[in-house]
Amino acid sequence: MAAVEPALRPIATGQVHLKMVRIGRMASPPATPEFSLTRRDLIAALGAAALCPTLPATVSAQGRTAVALQAKPDRISLRPDGPGPGGPETPVWSLGGSDLRFKRGEVLDVTFGNDLPVAAALDCRGLDGIAAAEPLASRALLVAGGKDSFQLPLRHAGTFLCEPLFADGGTAPARPRPLIVTGTSPVAVDRDEVLLIEEWRLRPDGSAIPAGNDPKDSTQIHTINGKTSYDISAPANARLRLRFINGSQRSVLAVKLENLDVRVMAIDGQPAEPFPARNGALVLAPGSRTDVFVDAAGPTGTSFAILLHDGKQARPVGKLAISNDPPVRPAPFPPAPPLPGNDMPAQLDLKSAARFELTLGTPTEWFRPADFKPSAAPAFQAKAGRSVVLALTNRGAIASVFHLHGHHFRLLDRLDDGWKPFWLDTLAIEPGQTQRIAFLAEYPGRYLIEQVATDWAAPRLVRWYSVQ
């Protein structure tokens, strides 16, 4: 069963109505560090939080920055027998390096190179309106040894993700690389940290199975920032901004900070009216991002478990500990105001919106990246400046994850008379379910849409749409 919480729902006329929003139930913290969920709970919990509109902010040009990104072979040390460093190194593919960090308003002059044995393109999740950089739709897959150059204007602040998109799965899993865009106004935190959650399927010989392949006889392992156990240490009363990213290719995951007040500040790169995460737990679809503020409140030596749940079981993946350093201030900060906004549309005209239906969970009219052709008919076409409503129906046997390139969207209410008060770029949809989303077609160009079933062996499927 799911619990019901009151939430504020803005409707198309600009009024605000009280609405009951269903959220997945997460058990109150017991004496031992665990929490109980099912796969259905994970899907139901997505998009259930109550957010309010944020205030617009202006963008000032910050100049141009040259960035080189290389898809190349890499290695990571994983231990299937438990936490800890060491063990044989596992071959993987990656874009190399640590988090990419820039300021809102900057323009990146990107050079992308492919040092892998399969064709690849750069896919940047959450960066709206950059049609010229769209993989497949505008930028062809690069053969081994190829290079490509293009611009990425960073019009929004937030947490984003860069990853290689392949023609086919290849022989090793690929690691994404977080892209952090800071706002032009300072945010009152003592520490800003990315927590990239990744899922691995290891064969008995220690090699990793790429997503899109049968994981039979494999061991499942999760890491945070490449470690099977990730610990954070902070002085008492420090405020932390933790940017959680689900880097898993196929799984919806829940992450929980045990016995802590976790306040959600942004989802999928777009700011939210701050609200408490239910029982300190966050639910993330593959590729989704959630930014939270956490205050390290407690005496020296106190630790708070970080738990991960994949719909089958919870497991500890780290902890937040209060260090021996002197408190950074006599008491924790008061509750934080909303993050500066990103100039998202204040209204969506649903009455005159263009409406289209898309079927998920079946390969009909969808393509694997290797088979995609820009000459294929678009999934839909919209006029610039007009609202678009998509009815997404999952005909598959398991949950499917939908990702929209180029624009963020609102999740509509069942009666199609308003929307949930938050922005998303990714949505998980249960089998047999229809969800409706709406967005303003702001940016002319050709953009991808993606779907993938929540099964490790499922292929990634794509289509495209246009805004004219």
Side-chain angles (χ1 to χ4, degrees), residues 101-128:
R101 288 185 178 256
F102 303 98
K103 284 189 174 295
R104 185 184 184 193
E106 284 188 81
V107 176
L108 305 185
D109 291 316
V110 176
T111 300
F112 174 66
N114 181 19
D115 285 343
L116 298 174
V118 300
L122 183 66
D123 186 359
C124 292
R125 183 179 290 261
L127 296 183
D128 288 352

CSV table of all heavy atoms in Angstrom, one decimal, residues 101-128:
chain,number,residue,atom,x,y,z
A,101,ARG,N,33.0,20.8,-13.6
A,101,ARG,CA,32.3,21.9,-12.9
A,101,ARG,C,32.5,23.2,-13.6
A,101,ARG,O,33.7,23.6,-13.9
A,101,ARG,CB,32.8,22.0,-11.4
A,101,ARG,CG,32.3,20.8,-10.5
A,101,ARG,CD,32.7,21.0,-9.1
A,101,ARG,NE,32.2,20.0,-8.3
A,101,ARG,CZ,31.1,20.1,-7.5
A,101,ARG,NH1,30.5,21.3,-7.4
A,101,ARG,NH2,30.7,19.1,-6.7
A,102,PHE,N,31.4,23.9,-13.9
A,102,PHE,CA,31.4,25.1,-14.6
A,102,PHE,C,30.4,26.0,-14.0
A,102,PHE,O,29.7,25.6,-13.1
A,102,PHE,CB,31.2,24.9,-16.1
A,102,PHE,CG,32.2,24.0,-16.7
A,102,PHE,CD1,31.8,22.6,-16.9
A,102,PHE,CD2,33.4,24.4,-17.1
A,102,PHE,CE1,32.7,21.8,-17.5
A,102,PHE,CE2,34.3,23.5,-17.7
A,102,PHE,CZ,34.0,22.2,-17.9
A,103,LYS,N,30.3,27.3,-14.5
A,103,LYS,CA,29.3,28.2,-14.0
A,103,LYS,C,28.2,28.4,-15.1
A,103,LYS,O,28.4,28.3,-16.3
A,103,LYS,CB,29.9,29.6,-13.7
A,103,LYS,CG,30.7,29.6,-12.4
A,103,LYS,CD,31.1,31.0,-12.1
A,103,LYS,CE,31.8,31.1,-10.7
A,103,LYS,NZ,30.8,30.7,-9.6
A,104,ARG,N,27.0,28.7,-14.6
A,104,ARG,CA,25.9,29.0,-15.4
A,104,ARG,C,26.2,30.2,-16.3
A,104,ARG,O,26.8,31.2,-15.9
A,104,ARG,CB,24.6,29.3,-14.6
A,104,ARG,CG,23.4,29.5,-15.4
A,104,ARG,CD,22.2,29.9,-14.6
A,104,ARG,NE,21.0,30.0,-15.4
A,104,ARG,CZ,19.8,30.5,-15.0
A,104,ARG,NH1,19.8,31.0,-13.8
A,104,ARG,NH2,18.8,30.6,-15.8
A,105,GLY,N,25.9,30.0,-17.6
A,105,GLY,CA,26.2,31.1,-18.6
A,105,GLY,C,27.4,30.8,-19.4
A,105,GLY,O,27.6,31.4,-20.5
A,106,GLU,N,28.3,29.9,-18.9
A,106,GLU,CA,29.5,29.6,-19.7
A,106,GLU,C,29.1,28.8,-21.0
A,106,GLU,O,28.0,28.1,-21.0
A,106,GLU,CB,30.4,28.7,-18.9
A,106,GLU,CG,31.2,29.4,-17.9
A,106,GLU,CD,32.3,28.6,-17.3
A,106,GLU,OE1,33.4,28.4,-17.9
A,106,GLU,OE2,32.1,28.0,-16.2
A,107,VAL,N,29.9,28.9,-22.0
A,107,VAL,CA,29.8,28.1,-23.2
A,107,VAL,C,31.0,27.2,-23.3
A,107,VAL,O,32.1,27.7,-23.3
A,107,VAL,CB,29.7,29.0,-24.5
A,107,VAL,CG1,29.6,28.2,-25.7
A,107,VAL,CG2,28.4,29.9,-24.4
A,108,LEU,N,30.7,25.9,-23.4
A,108,LEU,CA,31.8,24.9,-23.5
A,108,LEU,C,32.1,24.6,-25.0
A,108,LEU,O,31.2,24.3,-25.7
A,108,LEU,CB,31.5,23.6,-22.8
A,108,LEU,CG,31.0,23.8,-21.3
A,108,LEU,CD1,30.8,22.4,-20.7
A,108,LEU,CD2,32.1,24.6,-20.5
A,109,ASP,N,33.4,24.8,-25.4
A,109,ASP,CA,33.8,24.3,-26.7
A,109,ASP,C,34.4,22.9,-26.5
A,109,ASP,O,35.5,22.7,-26.0
A,109,ASP,CB,34.9,25.3,-27.2
A,109,ASP,CG,34.4,26.6,-27.6
A,109,ASP,OD1,33.3,26.7,-28.2
A,109,ASP,OD2,35.0,27.6,-27.3
A,110,VAL,N,33.5,21.9,-26.8
A,110,VAL,CA,33.8,20.5,-26.5
A,110,VAL,C,34.5,19.9,-27.7
A,110,VAL,O,34.0,20.0,-28.8
A,110,VAL,CB,32.5,19.8,-26.1
A,110,VAL,CG1,32.8,18.3,-25.9
A,110,VAL,CG2,31.9,20.4,-24.9
A,111,THR,N,35.6,19.2,-27.4
A,111,THR,CA,36.2,18.2,-28.3
A,111,THR,C,36.0,16.8,-27.8
A,111,THR,O,36.5,16.5,-26.7
A,111,THR,CB,37.7,18.5,-28.5
A,111,THR,OG1,37.8,19.8,-29.0
A,111,THR,CG2,38.3,17.5,-29.5
A,112,PHE,N,35.2,16.0,-28.5
A,112,PHE,CA,35.0,14.6,-28.1
A,112,PHE,C,35.7,13.7,-28.9
A,112,PHE,O,35.7,13.7,-30.2
A,112,PHE,CB,33.5,14.4,-28.1
A,112,PHE,CG,33.1,12.9,-27.9
A,112,PHE,CD1,33.3,12.4,-26.6
A,112,PHE,CD2,32.6,12.1,-28.8
A,112,PHE,CE1,33.0,11.1,-26.3
A,112,PHE,CE2,32.2,10.8,-28.6
A,112,PHE,CZ,32.4,10.3,-27.3
A,113,GLY,N,36.5,12.8,-28.3
A,113,GLY,CA,37.2,11.8,-29.0
A,113,GLY,C,36.8,10.4,-28.6
A,113,GLY,O,36.4,10.1,-27.5
A,114,ASN,N,36.9,9.5,-29.5
A,114,ASN,CA,36.5,8.1,-29.3
A,114,ASN,C,37.8,7.1,-29.4
A,114,ASN,O,38.2,6.9,-30.5
A,114,ASN,CB,35.4,7.6,-30.2
A,114,ASN,CG,35.0,6.2,-30.0
A,114,ASN,OD1,35.2,5.6,-28.9
A,114,ASN,ND2,34.3,5.6,-31.0
A,115,ASP,N,38.3,6.7,-28.3
A,115,ASP,CA,39.4,5.7,-28.3
A,115,ASP,C,38.9,4.3,-28.0
A,115,ASP,O,39.7,3.5,-27.5
A,115,ASP,CB,40.4,6.1,-27.2
A,115,ASP,CG,41.3,7.3,-27.7
A,115,ASP,OD1,41.3,7.6,-28.9
A,115,ASP,OD2,41.9,7.9,-26.8
A,116,LEU,N,37.6,4.0,-28.2
A,116,LEU,CA,37.0,2.7,-28.0
A,116,LEU,C,36.9,1.9,-29.3
A,116,LEU,O,36.8,2.5,-30.4
A,116,LEU,CB,35.7,2.9,-27.3
A,116,LEU,CG,35.7,3.5,-25.9
A,116,LEU,CD1,34.3,3.8,-25.4
A,116,LEU,CD2,36.5,2.7,-24.9
A,117,PRO,N,36.7,0.6,-29.2
A,117,PRO,CA,36.6,-0.2,-30.4
A,117,PRO,C,35.3,-0.2,-31.0
A,117,PRO,O,35.0,-0.9,-32.0
A,117,PRO,CB,37.0,-1.6,-29.9
A,117,PRO,CG,36.7,-1.6,-28.5
A,117,PRO,CD,36.9,-0.2,-28.0
A,118,VAL,N,34.3,0.5,-30.5
A,118,VAL,CA,32.9,0.6,-31.0
A,118,VAL,C,32.6,2.1,-31.3
A,118,VAL,O,33.2,3.0,-30.7
A,118,VAL,CB,31.9,0.0,-30.1
A,118,VAL,CG1,32.2,-1.5,-29.9
A,118,VAL,CG2,31.8,0.7,-28.8
A,119,ALA,N,31.7,2.3,-32.2
A,119,ALA,CA,31.2,3.7,-32.5
A,119,ALA,C,30.5,4.3,-31.3
A,119,ALA,O,29.8,3.6,-30.6
A,119,ALA,CB,30.3,3.7,-33.7
A,120,ALA,N,30.7,5.6,-31.0
A,120,ALA,CA,30.2,6.2,-29.8
A,120,ALA,C,29.9,7.7,-30.1
A,120,ALA,O,30.5,8.3,-31.0
A,120,ALA,CB,31.2,6.1,-28.7
A,121,ALA,N,29.0,8.2,-29.3
A,121,ALA,CA,28.7,9.7,-29.3
A,121,ALA,C,28.6,10.1,-27.9
A,121,ALA,O,28.4,9.3,-27.0
A,121,ALA,CB,27.4,10.0,-30.1
A,122,LEU,N,28.7,11.5,-27.7
A,122,LEU,CA,28.6,12.0,-26.3
A,122,LEU,C,27.1,12.4,-26.1
A,122,LEU,O,26.5,13.1,-26.9
A,122,LEU,CB,29.4,13.3,-26.2
A,122,LEU,CG,29.5,13.9,-24.8
A,122,LEU,CD1,30.1,13.0,-23.8
A,122,LEU,CD2,30.2,15.2,-24.8
A,123,ASP,N,26.6,11.9,-25.0
A,123,ASP,CA,25.2,12.2,-24.5
A,123,ASP,C,25.2,12.9,-23.2
A,123,ASP,O,25.7,12.4,-22.2
A,123,ASP,CB,24.5,10.8,-24.4
A,123,ASP,CG,23.0,11.0,-24.1
A,123,ASP,OD1,22.5,12.1,-24.0
A,123,ASP,OD2,22.3,10.0,-24.0
A,124,CYS,N,24.7,14.1,-23.2
A,124,CYS,CA,24.7,14.9,-22.0
A,124,CYS,C,23.3,15.0,-21.5
A,124,CYS,O,22.4,15.7,-22.1
A,124,CYS,CB,25.3,16.3,-22.2
A,124,CYS,SG,27.1,16.3,-22.6
A,125,ARG,N,23.0,14.4,-20.4
A,125,ARG,CA,21.6,14.3,-19.9
A,125,ARG,C,21.2,15.6,-19.1
A,125,ARG,O,22.0,16.0,-18.2
A,125,ARG,CB,21.5,13.1,-18.9
A,125,ARG,CG,20.1,12.8,-18.4
A,125,ARG,CD,20.1,11.6,-17.5
A,125,ARG,NE,20.3,10.4,-18.2
A,125,ARG,CZ,19.3,9.6,-18.6
A,125,ARG,NH1,18.1,9.9,-18.3
A,125,ARG,NH2,19.6,8.5,-19.3
A,126,GLY,N,20.1,16.2,-19.5
A,126,GLY,CA,19.6,17.3,-18.7
A,126,GLY,C,19.9,18.7,-19.3
A,126,GLY,O,19.3,19.7,-18.8
A,127,LEU,N,20.8,18.8,-20.3
A,127,LEU,CA,21.1,20.1,-20.9
A,127,LEU,C,20.1,20.4,-21.9
A,127,LEU,O,20.1,19.8,-23.0
A,127,LEU,CB,22.5,20.1,-21.5
A,127,LEU,CG,23.7,19.8,-20.5
A,127,LEU,CD1,25.0,19.9,-21.2
A,127,LEU,CD2,23.6,20.9,-19.4
A,128,ASP,N,19.2,21.3,-21.7
A,128,ASP,CA,18.1,21.6,-22.5
A,128,ASP,C,18.5,22.5,-23.7
A,128,ASP,O,19.3,23.4,-23.6
A,128,ASP,CB,16.9,22.3,-21.8
A,128,ASP,CG,16.2,21.4,-20.8
A,128,ASP,OD1,16.5,20.2,-20.9
A,128,ASP,OD2,15.4,21.9,-20.0
